[in-house]
Amino acid sequence: IYRSVVSNSSKEMSCYSDFLMPANFPNYLHNSRFLEYCKLYAEHFNLMKHIQFKTKVCAVSKRPDFPTSGQWDVVTEKDGKQESAIFDAVLVCSGRYVQPVFPLESFPGLEKFKGKYLHSQEYKHPDRKS
């Protein structure tokens, strides 16, 4: 996401139903304000103790008693050290913008274009070329 991006979804449509956006936030949030909201949410519900950043998920598998427990074995790695843990649920959140879609065939004549073209995922700042 580039530095100047502002959400095209209102704060009322973007917030969690159990935690409204602060009244002083603008209707359409700059990405830094949305991050601030996420941090406020995590703090309010004491969630940070459950979140592990910069941690690689190595394996996820159903436990042997999965039909009755519904639990999962998860192996993670951080700083070269692997750990195993048991969880009641697993969410796979790879992000919506992980793989850019760039259908060049949808732009007839592009091969004649002499300028540079790039996917929006590559755009980070208006002063830089990519």
Side-chain angles (χ1 to χ4, degrees):
I1 292 180
Y2 51 94
R3 268 187 222 168
S4 60
V5 76
V6 174
S7 173
N8 61 358
S9 176
S10 70
K11 69 179 183 180
E12 292 82 9
M13 295 300 292
S14 300
C15 67
Y16 295 110
S17 60
D18 59 350
F19 191 75
L20 300 178
M21 294 266 186
N24 66 324
F25 275 30
N27 283 334
Y28 295 92
L29 303 178
H30 182 267
N31 65 74
S32 61
R33 294 307 290 267
F34 192 79
L35 176 60
E36 183 181 347
Y37 168 74
C38 291
K39 289 178 178 179
L40 289 169
Y41 184 91
E43 182 181 297
H44 178 80
F45 290 102
N46 200 24
L47 298 176
M48 293 307 293
K49 64 184 178 184
H50 301 292
I51 299 173
Q52 296 179 43
F53 293 103
K54 298 181 180 181
T55 302
K56 178 182 176 181
V57 177
C58 303
V60 176
S61 57
K62 293 178 180 178
R63 294 195 39 82
D65 63 347
F66 182 82
T68 55
S69 72
Q71 292 183 321
W72 299 83
D73 284 319
V74 178
V75 179
T76 58
E77 183 177 325
K78 183 173 185 172
D79 300 326
K81 181 182 172 196
Q82 282 197 350
E83 290 184 11
S84 281
I86 300 169
F87 291 95
D88 294 328
V90 173
L91 297 173
V92 178
C93 306
S94 62
R96 136 175 221 191
Y97 306 106
V98 171
Q99 294 289 16
V101 176
F102 205 169
L104 296 177
E105 68 281 355
S106 297
F107 300 95
L110 187 62
E111 69 280 352
K112 297 176 190 169
F113 178 66
K114 301 279 190 246
K116 182 177 180 178
Y117 56 87
L118 56 109
H119 189 276
S120 60
Q121 187 181 55
E122 297 174 77
Y123 178 81
K124 301 295 179 195
H125 193 273
D127 297 337
R128 296 189 193 111
K129 299 299 178 203
S130 66

